[in-house]
Amino acid sequence: MSDDPEPRRRAPRKSIEERRAMIVRAAIPLLVELGPSVTTLQIARAAGISEPTIFRAFADKNEVLAACLAEATDPQHLVGELNAIEPSAPLRERVLAVIEALRAHGERTGAVVNAVTVAGPVQPRTAESLSEEERARWSESRTSSYQRMHDAVTAALAQDRPRIPAADAATLVLAIVLALGRGGGWHTGPASVTTEALADLVLHGITK
């Protein structure tokens, strides 16, 4: 019997898709923190890889930024967080969790969009710049994304004896949180809105 140690097995090589996803996951927090000045070397270090590995998955930094933009604006992760909210938790805890998940997603998405826009030449396309066919697909995608978020919020807010239907409550919560995110109302001056204050408004209105 040989006493030689077993030969070390190499970890399976990642596919291009897996490598791209890993790089994007590392890049997004850096874009949020550092903005458009983030370098591919910083991204590589955060991902635990060498810088040349990035360019075996992406043509250049602009392609990395485009992938980050697509990932940040995809509601998949947000919907996963909303679906993970414990349905048996007290309603206030669920409302707080819903608002915080929506708020964090909006802030993260906004930071990435702003960073990518400033970095250029990768620019988020507007409806006005699209062809009629592209505009139809864009509208359908936005509607589908909103519906997925709405369904997840509705499920999180469902309870046995609601004062208003959970779907209506979800519509109101999304309208308020999304409007605050677009207008910067979370952090505007002395009247900045907290998650707790918004949860209280949702649960109790403005009466005691």
Side-chain angles (χ1 to χ4, degrees):
M1 179 181 293
S2 172
D3 293 329
D4 291 339
E6 289 187 13
R8 294 180 61 185
R9 296 182 179 177
R10 290 186 178 181
R13 180 177 297 226
K14 286 183 170 62
S15 68
I16 290 294
E17 290 75 18
E18 291 172 326
R19 190 175 294 132
R20 286 170 65 95
M22 176 184 66
I23 292 167
V24 167
R25 283 196 300 269
I28 286 179
L30 291 176
L31 276 172
V32 172
E33 178 184 358
L34 304 175
S37 63
V38 66
T39 66
T40 52
L41 179 59
Q42 289 170 317
I43 294 171
R45 287 174 174 169
I49 57 177
S50 65
E51 190 175 17
T53 300
I54 289 181
F55 301 110
R56 286 195 285 270
F58 295 96
D60 52 29
K61 179 181 173 181
N62 287 331
E63 195 171 279
V64 176
L65 295 179
C68 289
L69 182 63
E71 177 70 14
T73 54
D74 187 334
Q76 176 182 349
H77 300 297
L78 170 62
V79 169
E81 290 180 34
L82 293 170
N83 287 337
I85 295 173
E86 177 53 55
S88 63
L91 181 59
R92 177 178 171 79
E93 290 183 17
R94 285 182 277 140
V95 171
L96 284 168
V98 165
I99 294 171
E100 191 56 37
L102 292 170
R103 176 178 182 171
H105 174 76
E107 291 181 343
R108 182 172 59 249
T109 300
V112 172
V113 170
N114 289 337
V116 172
T117 301
V118 171
V122 179
Q123 298 292 324
R125 298 184 68 184
T126 62
E128 292 75 16
S129 68
L130 303 176
S131 68
E132 186 174 342
E133 183 180 349
E134 288 175 325
R135 195 177 297 120
R137 288 200 301 267
W138 181 74
S139 177
E140 183 180 349
S141 176
R142 283 173 60 89
T143 300
S144 175
S145 294
Y146 177 84
Q147 190 60 54
R148 289 167 63 194
M149 288 191 294
H150 188 275
D151 290 345
V153 174
T154 298
L157 299 182
Q159 55 177 326
D160 293 334
R161 294 182 299 278
R163 187 174 67 84
I164 64 173
D168 292 348
T171 299
L172 293 171
V173 170
L174 282 166
I176 295 170
V177 176
L178 295 179
L180 282 169
R182 285 191 296 269
W186 288 110
H187 306 293
T188 304
S192 59
V193 179
T194 65
T195 300
E196 291 75 13
L198 183 51
D200 286 338
L201 179 63
V202 170
L203 288 166
H204 308 298
I206 61 174
T207 60
K208 293 185 179 180

